[in-house]
Amino acid sequence: MSLHHSISVAVIGGGLAGIAAAERLHEVGLDPFVFDRGVRAGGRCATRRATPFSFDHGAQYFTVRDRVFRAFVERWQPRGWVAPWNGTIVRWQDGRALTEEHAPKRWVAVPSMRALPEHLVRAWPNPDRYRSGCTVARMQRVGIAWRLFDEAGRELGDFERVLIAMPPQQALRLLPVSSPLVGLIETLDMRPCWAGMFGWDQPLPLPFDGAFVDAGPLRWVARNSSKPGRPEPEAWVLHAEPEWSAQRLHRSPTEIAHDLRIAFEELLGTSLPEPAFQDAHRWSLSIPRDTQTQRIWMDRASGIALAGDAYLGGRVEGAFLSGRLAAEVLVGAADRGASARRPPLPPE
């Protein structure tokens, strides 16, 4: 890709899509500035540590379908950034666990899911241009650039192009009302998910390390401590069903953790020992209802692009590819038009 001049670019959002976008911009010779409201990079590639336990309470693992993404995974593995998760994964149907057949290889970042975006940031030529703990609250048009402001009204700089790598409903708050991207976002529905985290002093005698659940409050349960590079103490993550989560969106984490533990016991048909640790985390914007969305969108007149898993399949792979594609569209908009497409990724 050839650039007629150096373009100033801001990436808003430090999840995997934003990190991948910034990496792609570095590859074409630009030096983007990344603003992330989180304390650490990762977004939903998140990890909670409660000594001696560790919980990947957001993205659980990733699979590889796309050849471009596969090339990156093959580069990351020798560096020790990722490793296959060879745990026993089952599908829980009609009250019993069935071994899942013909499952794709599942990968995890090492030593935690949050580690992958952190590895990527540290490898940048100028990692100091990643600013954590900074919420971009407003954008104002100034000539041909966008001036960004934080929550206190302080100026964060002027940028010719802006890539917003946030959940759609959060991106909506930054877009000018006249942008055609507003209409796109209004068609997208992100569903919530409560994530429970439980640690036990002794291993649970269960013959599986992860299970997809087809009914009841739970949709996924996983022995996080079975993943490579994790601490040994028994740690489980339970993800709740979206509608169940939506109905309890404003309940306290303490109440939710209790309810999810009861749901886990009902699923197993047995009582469990008292956990040494339990907590819950609310992901208000977690899962796109339509996981078949395949577009990367840009408002060419405004110089704003959107990126994230919501726009490209709803998975870790989709988030990464979305960020790279959005970066390409953003800096090559004059030649590429207002949107880009990729062939649909196979379903999970």
Side-chain angles (χ1 to χ4, degrees):
M1 182 185 304
S2 62
L3 301 174
H4 297 295
H5 67 285
S6 182
I7 302 171
S8 58
V9 183
V11 177
I12 304 175
L16 192 58
I19 300 303
E23 184 178 61
R24 182 68 183 119
L25 292 168
H26 284 129
E27 291 172 2
V28 299
L30 297 178
D31 197 12
F33 211 121
V34 180
F35 299 94
D36 186 14
R37 69 175 186 175
V39 177
R40 299 170 65 183
R44 290 199 302 277
C45 286
T47 301
R48 173 86 62 86
R49 289 185 173 87
T51 305
F53 307 106
S54 176
F55 307 93
D56 297 321
H57 58 296
Q60 296 293 288
Y61 61 86
F62 60 88
T63 56
V64 179
R65 305 295 204 281
D66 184 273
R67 61 177 179 79
V68 173
F69 188 54
R70 184 178 303 280
F72 280 93
V73 173
E74 291 173 351
R75 183 188 310 171
W76 298 335
Q77 186 180 12
R79 299 179 182 178
W81 293 4
V82 300
W85 179 27
N86 297 318
T88 301
I89 310 298
V90 302
R91 191 167 297 277
W92 202 283
Q93 296 176 316
D94 301 323
R96 61 194 182 102
L98 305 175
T99 301
E100 188 179 24
E101 298 179 358
H102 308 299
K105 179 182 288 188
R106 296 181 174 87
W107 295 83
V108 295
V110 179
S112 68
M113 288 301 289
R114 187 191 297 276
L116 178 58
E118 291 182 337
H119 287 315
L120 293 171
V121 170
R122 283 194 293 267
W124 287 353
N126 191 355
D128 292 340
R129 291 177 72 85
Y130 170 83
R131 184 171 177 182
S132 62
C134 179
T135 299
V136 178
R138 184 168 64 90
M139 305 196 316
Q140 176 183 322
R141 194 67 160 170
V142 179
I144 64 169
W146 288 101
R147 181 166 296 165
L148 307 188
F149 298 84
D150 67 10
E151 291 178 304
R154 294 183 292 258
E155 294 183 13
L156 300 174
D158 292 356
F159 302 90
E160 293 174 74
R161 307 281 169 83
V162 177
L163 192 152
I164 304 176
M166 302 163 63
Q169 286 71 20
Q170 293 177 1
L172 191 61
R173 296 196 291 266
L174 294 176
L175 291 171
V177 294
S178 60
S179 173
L181 297 175
V182 171
L184 167 67
I185 287 178
E186 290 175 344
T187 68
L188 299 176
D189 181 15
M190 295 290 286
R191 299 181 293 172
C193 175
W194 272 107
M197 295 160 279
F198 301 85
W200 280 274
D201 293 328
Q202 299 294 327
L204 299 185
L206 301 176
F208 60 88
D209 299 302
F212 299 97
V213 185
D214 70 345
L218 299 172
R219 279 298 172 267
W220 166 257
V221 301
R223 192 193 317 259
N224 202 80
S225 45
S226 70
K227 298 175 183 177
R230 273 60 175 177
E232 291 185 3
E234 188 83 353
W236 284 77
V237 172
L238 315 181
H239 278 184
E241 188 270 336
E243 294 304 322
W244 188 94
S245 297
Q247 293 167 7
R248 296 159 178 80
L249 199 60
H250 302 293
R251 298 266 300 277
S252 73
T254 300
E255 292 177 299
I256 293 297
H258 173 269
D259 291 351
L260 290 178
R261 179 186 161 197
I262 296 302
F264 192 30
E265 292 181 334
E266 291 176 349
L267 178 73
L268 300 173
T270 186
S271 297
L272 296 173
E274 188 73 19
F277 173 87
Q278 69 176 34
D279 199 1
H281 179 87
R282 179 183 62 202
W283 297 104
S284 299
L285 303 168
S286 174
I287 309 165
R289 185 179 296 275
D290 178 12
T291 59
Q292 300 306 309
T293 304
Q294 297 297 330
R295 290 195 173 194
I296 311 300
W297 283 85
M298 178 175 175
D299 178 355
R300 180 165 49 179
S302 297
I304 301 172
L306 303 178
D309 65 302
Y311 308 105
L312 198 64
R315 300 191 301 273
V316 169
E317 180 180 53
F320 184 84
L321 294 174
S322 170
R324 290 185 63 83
L325 286 166
E328 293 172 1
V329 171
L330 189 71
V331 297
D335 299 322
R336 295 171 181 266
S339 66
R341 276 189 178 272
R342 288 187 70 85
L345 297 172
E348 190 72 64

